Amino acid sequence: MLLTLLLTLPAQAQVQLRGTIIDRDTKEALPFASVSVNKTTIGTTTNVEGEFSLSVPRLPVTLILSELGHVRDTLRVTSNAELLRIPLASAVVALPEVKIGSYPFQLVGHAYEEMERNYGRKYFGKAFYRQLTRIADQPTELQEVVWNVKSSNARIEGTTIAQGRYAAVPSITSFSNFSLYTKSYGLYDANADTATSLALLSPNLVKNYLLELKGVLAGPDSTKGGIAEITFETRPELTRYRAEGTIWIDIDTYRVVRYHMTTPNFTASTNNVNQKFRKTRLEIEMAFQSTEAAVAPLEYVKVNLNAELITPGKPATPLSVSSFTFFYDTNTTPTGLPYARVSVQDRDLAAIKSVKYDPEFWVNNSAVKRTPVEDEVIQSFEKKGAFGTMVKPPEKKPAQRKR
């Protein structure tokens, strides 16, 4: 018994640190900043609100803080009595002496070669997906799903649903398979026809894109070259497809660190044949986990759609759909699970209903807590009684007898 008590003491002595990392100048929260304990393997990343929670064996500890585009810093923590609010300074952007027109093309070209060469490395883990639809600025759909996921250094390879839940109110339109864009989009496709590919990372880079090196951000390791920030846009003569955005590439390993793209080429239709989209803008962002290796698994994927919904005889209605997918428990050990490739026939709600809802699965789920839903969204659905399987109804207070 004494031995058992001694073995359990370290687990009971954990100290919980909580805080937020912000930009020193703008005071804005920094999502996906890295937080680690110096000279240990203990670490985490901030959520989309810049918040983090980290368990450490004891105090004091020295935290190492880093984020793409900001200077790496350290903080000595001696108490957990208060929430930490940690500012990071913007990284100095330097243009290398070799800043010539071909340099960004060389970097992107090398990134393509590295991605193609390492594409065979597969990762297995879980991903938390949240989707929110707003019509006329009012929330109309909310769904959350946890997938078992197989991925690579460029995309999702396949998924199988573990758990899901949703909420919805009657509206003029809904999205039956918006997760298609998260599951199908990638920076590289081994099955693509390279002769006709319009992807940024392809042999057709020079023919299809204009690039500009904006600068080189200081990386987390000051002894290395840093992260190149390169903007891109499709050439004016390319009329079939339009896109613009930014790609961040490690200039030592040629590993893609982050990618952000917007395009007006959204051609999906609604569930009403009389409706159509106008002024569409599809936005996709991908980031990869921080690692010293040449290959890194996905960290998150964000997909946003903004458009006007046109219905005959009615004014245009603003519409937005946003989704966020966070990857966790990622490793290289195969699981044997039946990962399904994405299909245009997929239907998100049908997949959620195919799995028995388990309320306990969602209680204190750390992946869900990373991306808190806005209070006004929750309140909006609660007022309309739309949560269904999302949230347990409030307990009714016993009626008081009148005297």
Side-chain angles (χ1 to χ4, degrees), residues 196-395:
T196 60
S197 175
L198 296 173
L200 176 71
L201 296 173
S202 79
N204 308 317
L205 169 65
V206 176
K207 181 176 69 175
N208 292 334
Y209 286 89
L210 299 172
L211 304 181
E212 181 181 355
L213 177 66
K214 305 302 290 187
V216 178
L217 301 169
D221 188 340
S222 59
T223 65
K224 296 185 178 181
I227 309 296
E229 181 177 322
I230 301 169
T231 58
F232 63 86
E233 62 177 316
T234 46
R235 291 184 179 273
E237 57 269 26
L238 191 68
T239 57
R240 290 181 298 160
Y241 175 69
R242 302 296 302 165
E244 63 181 14
T246 305
I247 187 169
W248 290 263
I249 299 173
D250 186 310
I251 66 176
D252 291 308
T253 65
Y254 303 120
R255 180 171 58 83
V256 177
V257 176
R258 189 180 295 175
Y259 170 87
H260 181 269
M261 181 274 298
T262 59
T263 176
N265 288 72
F266 178 79
T267 57
S269 57
T270 77
N271 54 2
N272 185 332
V273 294
N274 295 318
Q275 294 176 333
K276 63 180 181 179
F277 295 111
R278 185 179 69 181
K279 297 182 180 179
T280 60
R281 179 182 175 86
L282 185 67
E283 179 181 13
I284 297 176
E285 181 174 325
M286 306 174 70
F288 297 85
Q289 295 179 24
S290 177
T291 175
E292 292 296 321
V295 187
L298 282 163
E299 182 169 52
Y300 70 82
V301 177
K302 292 195 292 186
V303 181
N304 297 324
L305 170 67
N306 289 282
E308 288 183 347
L309 185 63
I310 305 301
T311 305
K314 296 183 179 180
T317 304
L319 172 149
S320 69
V321 191
S322 61
S323 71
F324 175 80
T325 308
F326 169 67
F327 297 78
Y328 63 103
D329 288 351
T330 305
N331 58 74
T332 57
T333 305
T335 64
L337 292 171
Y339 299 102
R341 289 186 174 274
V342 65
S343 167
V344 293
Q345 304 302 321
D346 292 343
R347 293 295 178 266
D348 294 336
L349 187 53
I352 292 174
K353 290 181 176 180
S354 70
V355 180
K356 184 179 179 180
Y357 178 65
D358 179 10
E360 298 303 319
F361 179 89
W362 301 92
V363 176
N364 295 323
N365 190 302
S366 59
V368 177
K369 287 183 175 181
R370 291 184 60 88
T371 53
V373 183
E374 303 94 321
D375 289 341
E376 61 99 1
V377 172
I378 297 294
Q379 293 169 5
S380 175
F381 280 113
E382 283 179 340
K383 288 178 181 178
K384 297 173 183 177
F387 268 110
T389 60
M390 287 286 290
V391 173
K392 294 180 180 179
E395 295 182 3

Side-chain angles (χ1 to χ4, degrees), residues 32-239:
F32 299 100
S34 174
V35 184
S36 61
V37 178
N38 190 32
K39 297 181 180 180
T40 74
T41 59
I42 301 171
T44 186
T45 55
T46 59
N47 65 14
V48 292
E49 305 296 330
E51 303 163 341
F52 71 89
S53 177
L54 183 66
S55 295
V56 298
R58 65 189 66 85
L59 295 177
V61 295
T62 299
L63 299 181
I64 300 175
L65 315 147
S66 63
E67 197 276 336
L68 179 62
H70 290 80
V71 176
R72 188 185 192 189
D73 206 349
T74 60
L75 177 69
R76 183 77 167 169
V77 180
T78 59
S79 170
N80 68 339
E82 297 181 357
L83 291 175
L84 301 171
R85 186 171 175 83
I86 309 170
L88 291 183
S90 296
V92 176
V93 178
L95 290 176
E97 294 180 2
V98 291
K99 192 206 168 190
I100 55 178
S102 64
Y103 185 54
F105 286 92
Q106 292 172 10
L107 289 175
V108 176
H110 286 314
Y112 165 67
E113 293 169 357
E114 284 298 303
M115 188 163 283
E116 181 182 37
R117 186 168 67 86
N118 294 297
Y119 187 69
R121 176 79 63 87
K122 304 304 177 186
Y123 298 95
F124 306 87
K126 295 185 181 298
F128 171 66
Y129 173 88
R130 174 181 286 143
Q131 175 189 322
L132 175 63
T133 304
R134 294 177 186 268
I135 297 177
D137 296 325
Q138 295 299 312
T140 59
E141 290 178 301
L142 175 65
Q143 63 172 269
E144 296 178 336
V145 175
V146 173
W147 295 317
N148 296 303
V149 61
K150 176 183 177 182
S151 62
S152 69
N153 62 345
R155 65 190 317 116
I156 290 177
E157 296 283 309
T159 62
T160 179
I161 190 168
Q163 268 292 314
R165 57 185 187 176
Y166 68 94
V169 295
S171 61
I172 57 177
T173 193
S174 61
F175 286 82
S176 59
N177 63 341
F178 192 76
S179 71
L180 170 74
Y181 297 97
T182 297
K183 294 178 180 178
S184 63
Y185 193 82
L187 300 184
Y188 170 77
D189 184 354
N191 300 315
D193 183 351
T194 56
T196 60
S197 175
L198 296 173
L200 176 71
L201 296 173
S202 79
N204 308 317
L205 169 65
V206 176
K207 181 176 69 175
N208 292 334
Y209 286 89
L210 299 172
L211 304 181
E212 181 181 355
L213 177 66
K214 305 302 290 187
V216 178
L217 301 169
D221 188 340
S222 59
T223 65
K224 296 185 178 181
I227 309 296
E229 181 177 322
I230 301 169
T231 58
F232 63 86
E233 62 177 316
T234 46
R235 291 184 179 273
E237 57 269 26
L238 191 68
T239 57

